[in-house]
Amino acid sequence: METAEIARRFLAFFEKNGHTVVPSASLVAEDPTLLLVNAGMVPFKPYFLGQRTPPYTRATSVQKCVRTIDIDEVGKTSRHASFFQMLGNFSFGDYFKEGAIPFAWELLTSSVADGGFGFDPDRMWVTVYLDDDEAETIWREKVGLPADRIQRRGKADNFWSMGVPGPCGPCSEIYFDRGPAYGAEGGPVADENRYLEVWNLVFMQFERGEGSGKEDYPILGELPSKNIDTGMGLERMAAILQGVDNIYETDTLGRILRRAAELTGVAYGDNERSDVSLRVVADHVRTATMLVADGVKPGNEKRGYVLRRILRRSIRNLRLLSGDESFHMHDLTAVAIDAMGDQYPELRADADKIHSVIDAEEKNFADTLRAGTALFNRAAERTRRSGSTEFSGADAFQLHDTYGFPIDLTLEMAAEQGLKVDEETFHQLMQRQREAAKRDAKAKKLGNADISVYARLLETGGPTDFLGYTESEGEARVLGVIVNGEATGVARKGDKVELVLDRTPFYAESGGQLADKGTIAVDGRGVVDVEDVQKPIKGLFVHRGTVRDGEVVVDDTVHAAIDTDRRASVSRSHSATHLIHSALRNALGPSAGQAGSENQPGRLRFDFTSNKPLDAAEIAHVEEEVNEVLARNIEVQYMETTLDKALQMGALAMFGEKYGERVRVVDMTDYSRELCGGTHVGATGQLGLVKVLGESSVGAGVRRVEALVGLDALRRVSTESALVGQLSEQLKAPREELPQRIDAMVARLRAAEKEIERLRAAQVLQVAGELAANAREIGGVRVVTHRTADGTTADDMRKLALDVRGRLGESAPAVVVVAGVPADRPVVVVAANKEAQHSGLKAGELVGVAARVLGGGGGGRPDIAQGGGSDAAAVETALQAVEQRVAQS
């Protein structure tokens, strides 16, 4: 039975039993306590908590999920995946255990011909929570399952929550016995590989608090009603019904895995290590495809980092499999899109954009590997110079945090150079970063309590009526007053307050446009200075500010007025953003899609997809084209229409953005037409001037243009003109000749620096002949020991040692020892010729002798080695220690 048919059959069964079929929500969670949707119940969480009234009492869905807590187990087990689809049926205060358990049993054990999955009842096992006698009784008496196939388990296994504060409850899990070939007898408590979990029935009746792990958290109390939340992993069910050993061999993941094997030339099933890598690739490519389709882009923070980590694990494993630097992600992404396209048609519609993001990240990681490897090599060299064999945990963290190096890659590269990594420090830094992120998230006060306040206001007062397209001020009624996250009903002078009005001229920050500022005044009684406006819940405008004077009370009639000069300046920036977008598309083609923006008063930034930077000529062309449009003074028109009609008109939609049925189109005749809810100018001439400041990279395949608009642009042009005038005067050159004059000065400076470096190196090496001529014989070995002048670099010391060794030749054993203090710490270099090595004198061992005297360590090859320590005063003693070791040979 194909995966798509399993999903269709599940939904059909519950729809027949009175459930509303709800489409999958985006992987980008609306819940601010989560980065990504990690369970099928996440979109229904406000209903379970009683924050919102559900529009139905029964629902069923196939929800896209991403969970990375067990990412290191992906590929190693038969059931772990980072992306999975959760089939679920939900009851909101309707049926409870007595309904959920029989529903599950009927669907699982009914014949395929009758719309079920055809499981053999004699191969089914269940678990229930320790004290859940009610669930066990239903399984035994209503379903007829023998008592010896019902097992009780503790909180870690049979009590479910999302891992964060929210709804929770005991659960009953259903398992399928795959037979003795898969493991030991004894039910799920004995072997969860043989007894594979297929369905989890969660009896959602409690609310949990803060805590860690699966057991260490308090139960705060009961939910407003008893609910049902079930989850059946679509991939696990497909593995069973398709008769394969694991989820990676099903009809969807299996296609990606087989193509990865073809591309890398590795046979699946021949080697466990390569099999794990192939499974990781198959899972991660599909996960990345689904994340990008929902608008996530690779980055160094939050969900962008999740995507980047997944993509880079894929690329790393592909390179381990193929043994080269081939680019395979485009091909594999195409397979993933085709495999999942029947269930999610939007994948095929957005295929070009998905490819653009993933291809760019693959290329970026290839560049990053080169840059990161250079950083690693420098850090490894620094480690050896210090006499240590332990690679710094801080350097490992920097490789991870800045270059996206998985720690296992750093461990492998360190081992190749005879170094071990300070993993303890690395993990401490990782934990510190996680804790900082948690503190930051908590400081935003976006937990369940705050959401419930906003949700109640939205439910009782309805969505905020936005007047700002046509009005800059107006009368409104106060629906809610919130202080410190709680609805207080009143706020007084000095209070930081959040106000919810029934209508407002204030624009709430969205679509890259910053929020309006202004005042909310109660006639004769109080004034609030509005500093920010947000929409924590769709449709609800929350005005954040400080009570400057008096007080404000719920049900007050107020006068809301925005700062019109600021609004006009921000609107000019927003309109300029649309124009720059069109100019970039004209210059680079339709692949230059919007990837983010920010519109401030007089200033903007615009992020766009591109695999290469713009050169100076392209930047100048974009700037000129935009200003030509300003000179034409094109009228800006607005219309509201359906999404389909807007797209038919050629309006651009932001990739990954979710739009409703009705959308607003901002139309600048034939030059620019986009879906946009922001505020804009009436005609392009009102922008005055647009000055592009420059272009830079902000991530894999994403570039950023920054620009000034209006008076800010004019001031910048005036400042630059004055600076050029000063340079022209100082260099005594006309303005048009400044680039050539400055180029010539820079060239002379670089040539001088190279000459200084050459002379310095020559000065060090000029003593090589004298040192070789004065070599002493110790026990039949020609030995040279030399202390360099302080400040001589370790690299020059190494060159000197090799030069002297070369002059000594190979006719007799020879050892050269050069030591010095390049900076604050001493360094020693030992070079041994082949005859010395044959007689048992190896450079790696001798450098260790010297380094230990210096208070450090070191090592290297038998012919050349380097070490160091911390005791600069012991350099002469270290040289003598090497001579003594040679004498003993």
Side-chain angles (χ1 to χ4, degrees):
M1 189 179 296
E2 291 187 350
T3 299
E5 171 59 18
I6 297 170
R8 186 206 63 77
R9 194 169 284 246
F10 183 93
L11 295 176
F13 173 83
F14 282 103
E15 186 176 27
K16 181 182 69 175
N17 283 283
H19 293 66
T20 299
V21 177
V22 179
S24 174
S26 168
L27 284 168
V28 178
E30 290 187 5
D31 185 338
T33 65
L34 297 171
L35 283 181
L36 298 162
V37 170
N38 62 358
M41 57 73 64
V42 169
F44 305 107
K45 180 180 171 184
Y47 305 150
F48 288 129
L49 286 169
Q51 295 170 345
R52 298 187 196 175
T53 302
Y56 30 66
T57 58
R58 299 182 178 194
T60 184
S61 68
V62 181
Q63 175 61 47
K64 299 178 290 186
C65 304
V66 167
R67 192 179 298 166
T68 57
I69 190 171
D70 296 322
I71 194 170
D72 291 332
E73 295 303 311
V74 170
K76 298 177 184 177
T77 72
S78 64
R79 60 189 185 274
H80 282 97
S82 55
F83 171 85
F84 57 96
Q85 299 165 90
M86 192 58 70
L87 306 166
N89 59 288
F90 307 91
S91 164
F92 309 107
D94 189 357
Y95 61 83
F96 199 48
K97 299 175 187 178
E98 76 292 337
I101 292 173
F103 274 149
W105 187 254
E106 180 183 352
L107 178 56
L108 286 173
T109 60
S110 293
S111 69
V112 172
D114 290 335
F117 292 124
F119 280 84
D120 181 355
D122 293 336
R123 299 176 68 178
M124 307 303 293
W125 289 66
V126 301
T127 60
V128 297
Y129 187 53
L130 284 175
D131 61 0
D132 195 349
D133 297 334
E134 181 185 3
E136 181 180 6
T137 300
I138 295 171
W139 278 116
R140 283 191 295 101
E141 297 182 0
K142 194 167 184 178
V143 170
L145 193 69
D148 60 0
R149 280 193 273 131
I150 303 172
Q151 297 180 326
R152 300 212 181 206
R153 304 184 84 169
K155 195 173 182 181
D157 297 296
N158 273 71
F159 199 94
W160 192 91
S161 80
M162 290 167 54
V164 295
C168 64
C171 59
S172 180
E173 297 178 333
I174 308 174
Y175 293 80
F176 174 72
D177 180 2
R178 298 199 290 173
Y182 290 90
E185 293 184 7
V189 298
D191 191 333
E192 286 198 9
N193 187 53
R194 169 175 171 172
Y195 300 90
L196 192 65
E197 179 196 336
V198 295
W199 206 341
N200 187 8
L201 313 180
V202 181
F203 311 128
M204 198 76 76
Q205 60 191 106
F206 303 111
E207 182 176 0
R208 62 158 282 184
E210 290 278 3
S212 60
K214 294 184 177 181
E215 301 179 84
D216 186 18
Y217 54 83
I219 301 298
L220 303 180
E222 293 196 354
L223 296 173
S225 61
K226 292 182 177 180
N227 311 291
I228 288 296
D229 157 33
T230 82
M232 173 192 285
L234 180 53
E235 285 74 15
R236 293 191 193 183
M237 180 63 72
I240 295 171
L241 294 178
Q242 292 171 18
V244 295
D245 285 343
N246 59 63
I247 62 173
Y248 306 101
E249 297 169 17
T250 57
D251 57 334
T252 53
L253 277 173
R255 289 178 59 184
I256 309 171
L257 186 149
R258 289 189 293 273
R259 185 59 180 146
E262 291 172 9
L263 290 170
T264 58
V266 175
Y268 182 65
D270 285 357
N271 178 280
E272 178 58 23
R273 185 172 181 179
S274 61
D275 285 355
V276 169
S277 288
L278 284 169
R279 292 194 287 262
V280 168
V281 169
D283 170 81
H284 285 10
V285 167
R286 184 174 70 154
T287 303
T289 299
M290 302 305 294
L291 284 169
V292 173
D294 275 350
V296 181
K297 293 184 174 63
N300 291 328
E301 295 181 347
K302 299 180 179 179
R303 59 180 66 95
Y305 180 71
V306 173
L307 173 58
R308 172 158 287 168
R309 183 185 181 199
I310 285 170
L311 279 169
R312 293 187 171 187
R313 280 173 60 92
S314 308
I315 298 163
R316 168 69 176 159
N317 278 277
L318 282 168
R319 295 191 173 203
L320 287 173
L321 288 165
S322 63
D324 58 33
E325 297 185 359
S326 301
F327 287 74
H328 295 312
M329 291 298 288
H330 187 92
D331 200 330
L332 293 173
T333 302
V335 176
I337 290 171
D338 193 50
M340 303 297 292
D342 288 343
Q343 287 180 260
Y344 305 100
E346 64 271 19
L347 295 176
R348 292 188 174 122
D350 290 331
D352 289 345
K353 293 175 181 176
I354 296 170
H355 280 305
S356 175
V357 173
I358 293 179
D359 291 351
E361 181 66 11
E362 182 174 28
K363 180 181 181 301
N364 179 267
F365 188 41
D367 297 338
T368 291
L369 274 173
R370 285 189 286 272
T373 299
L375 174 67
F376 172 87
N377 288 336
R378 288 196 297 272
E381 179 67 18
R382 188 167 62 249
T383 302
R384 286 192 295 270
R385 283 202 309 268
S386 71
S388 174
T389 58
E390 186 173 68
F391 190 87
S392 160
D395 286 330
F397 178 75
Q398 184 183 4
L399 283 166
H400 165 82
D401 196 44
T402 305
Y403 292 93
F405 267 43
I407 184 61
D408 56 341
L409 175 58
T410 304
L411 289 169
E412 180 180 319
M413 292 173 65
E416 290 170 356
Q417 298 205 26
L419 302 172
K420 63 180 181 179
V421 177
D422 179 4
E423 291 187 73
E424 182 178 352
T425 298
F426 170 82
H427 290 298
Q428 287 174 354
L429 291 169
M430 285 292 295
Q431 183 61 29
R432 195 177 303 166
Q433 185 185 64
R434 292 190 190 102
E435 289 171 354
K438 286 180 181 178
R439 286 195 300 271
D440 181 60
K442 191 172 183 180
K444 294 179 180 177
K445 296 182 180 177
L446 290 174
N448 293 318
D450 293 321
I451 298 170
S452 64
V453 170
Y454 302 134
R456 285 195 295 271
L457 287 170
L458 180 64
E459 190 161 325
T460 57
T464 309
D465 183 14
F466 178 57
L467 312 173
Y469 292 136
T470 57
E471 305 292 336
S472 61
E473 56 185 291
E475 302 299 309
R477 186 167 67 90
V478 178
L479 300 180
V481 178
I482 303 167
V483 178
N484 294 326
E486 296 182 3
T488 60
V490 60
R492 297 181 174 85
K493 183 176 180 178
D495 285 347
K496 292 290 185 181
V497 65
E498 294 181 331
L499 297 181
V500 176
L501 311 179
D502 63 340
R503 56 208 302 267
T504 183
F506 284 84
Y507 183 83
E509 181 177 346
S510 60
Q513 179 173 332
L514 296 188
D516 284 326
K517 294 185 179 183
T519 59
I520 296 175
V522 186
D523 188 24
R525 211 155 47 79
V527 178
V528 176
D529 290 321
V530 177
E531 297 143 10
D532 187 24
V533 187
Q534 297 291 328
K535 289 190 284 189
I537 294 180
K538 186 177 180 181
L540 192 77
F541 287 54
V542 177
H543 307 74
R544 295 174 175 169
T546 305
V547 182
R548 186 205 311 166
D549 193 27
E551 64 179 17
V552 60
V553 180
V554 169
D555 283 333
D556 272 346
T557 297
V558 297
H559 185 80
I562 66 171
D563 179 339
T564 54
D565 288 341
R566 186 177 189 278
R567 160 72 77 83
S569 186
V570 172
S571 296
R572 286 194 291 269
S573 295
H574 201 158
S575 296
T577 298
H578 284 219
L579 296 175
I580 286 176
H581 187 189
S582 290
L584 286 168
R585 287 172 62 88
N586 291 339
L588 305 177
S591 63
Q594 183 171 349
S597 64
E598 183 176 86
N599 306 297
Q600 305 176 27
R603 188 183 185 99
L604 68 89
R605 71 167 190 243
F606 180 78
D607 298 342
F608 61 99
T609 52
S610 177
N611 292 331
K612 67 179 186 66
L614 297 178
D615 58 34
E618 288 171 321
I619 294 173
H621 178 76
V622 167
E623 182 179 272
E624 182 177 349
E625 182 176 312
V626 168
N627 282 290
E628 284 178 357
V629 175
L630 269 56
R632 287 160 52 193
N633 199 28
I634 295 173
E635 182 183 1
V636 181
Q637 298 180 327
Y638 312 92
M639 69 182 75
E640 229 185 63
T641 184
T642 64
L643 177 60
D644 289 342
K645 188 173 180 181
L647 296 176
Q648 290 170 10
M649 293 166 53
L652 295 179
M654 186 173 174
F655 176 53
E657 186 72 24
K658 304 303 177 186
Y659 296 96
E661 280 303 307
R662 301 289 296 179
V663 294
R664 185 169 182 263
V665 179
V666 177
D667 189 0
M668 302 179 188
T669 61
D670 293 331
Y671 189 75
S672 170
R673 185 175 291 129
E674 295 191 30
L675 302 183
C676 180
T679 63
H680 291 267
V681 297
T684 59
Q686 295 174 12
L687 272 62
L689 177 69
V690 173
K691 174 62 181 173
V692 176
L693 299 177
E695 183 261 15
S696 60
S697 171
V698 290
V702 179
R703 312 293 300 180
R704 171 173 293 171
V705 164
E706 296 187 74
L708 298 175
V709 185
L711 284 175
D712 293 86
L714 180 61
R715 294 188 189 105
R716 179 60 175 250
V717 170
S718 298
T719 300
E720 288 182 350
S721 179
L723 288 172
V724 171
Q726 291 175 16
L727 280 174
S728 177
E729 184 177 341
Q730 289 175 0
L731 298 179
K732 307 300 181 186
R735 292 184 178 219
E736 60 273 15
E737 293 180 10
L738 285 177
Q740 297 93 324
R741 184 69 63 89
I742 293 171
D743 284 346
M745 290 177 62
V746 171
R748 288 196 299 271
L749 178 60
R750 287 175 177 167
E753 289 174 343
K754 287 182 179 179
E755 179 63 14
I756 292 170
E757 174 65 20
R758 186 188 67 77
L759 292 172
R760 185 183 56 77
Q763 185 178 16
V764 171
L765 293 175
Q766 71 182 1
V767 302
E770 182 182 349
L771 290 174
N774 293 324
R776 292 185 300 127
E777 186 172 311
I778 301 176
V781 180
R782 301 183 70 192
V783 178
V784 172
T785 58
H786 174 67
R787 174 169 183 167
T788 61
D790 288 351
T792 303
T793 68
D795 187 52
D796 284 343
M797 291 165 61
R798 195 179 185 92
K799 289 178 182 176
L800 178 59
L802 291 172
D803 191 322
V804 174
R805 187 186 67 180
R807 293 172 187 266
L808 293 175
E810 295 289 346
S811 60
V815 171
V816 180
V817 189
V818 179
V821 186
D824 297 329
R825 299 169 66 87
V827 170
V828 61
V829 177
V830 176
N833 69 2
K834 290 181 180 178
E835 289 299 317
Q837 296 170 49
H838 291 156
S839 64
L841 294 172
K842 294 181 169 51
E845 180 200 349
L846 295 176
V847 85
V849 171
R852 283 190 289 275
V853 175
L854 296 172
R861 303 196 308 263
D863 60 330
I864 182 75
Q866 182 175 314
S870 57
D871 187 359
V875 170
E876 297 294 344
T877 308
L879 294 174
Q880 294 169 9
V882 176
E883 292 178 350
Q884 293 169 5
R885 171 65 183 81
V886 172
Q888 295 168 2
S889 64

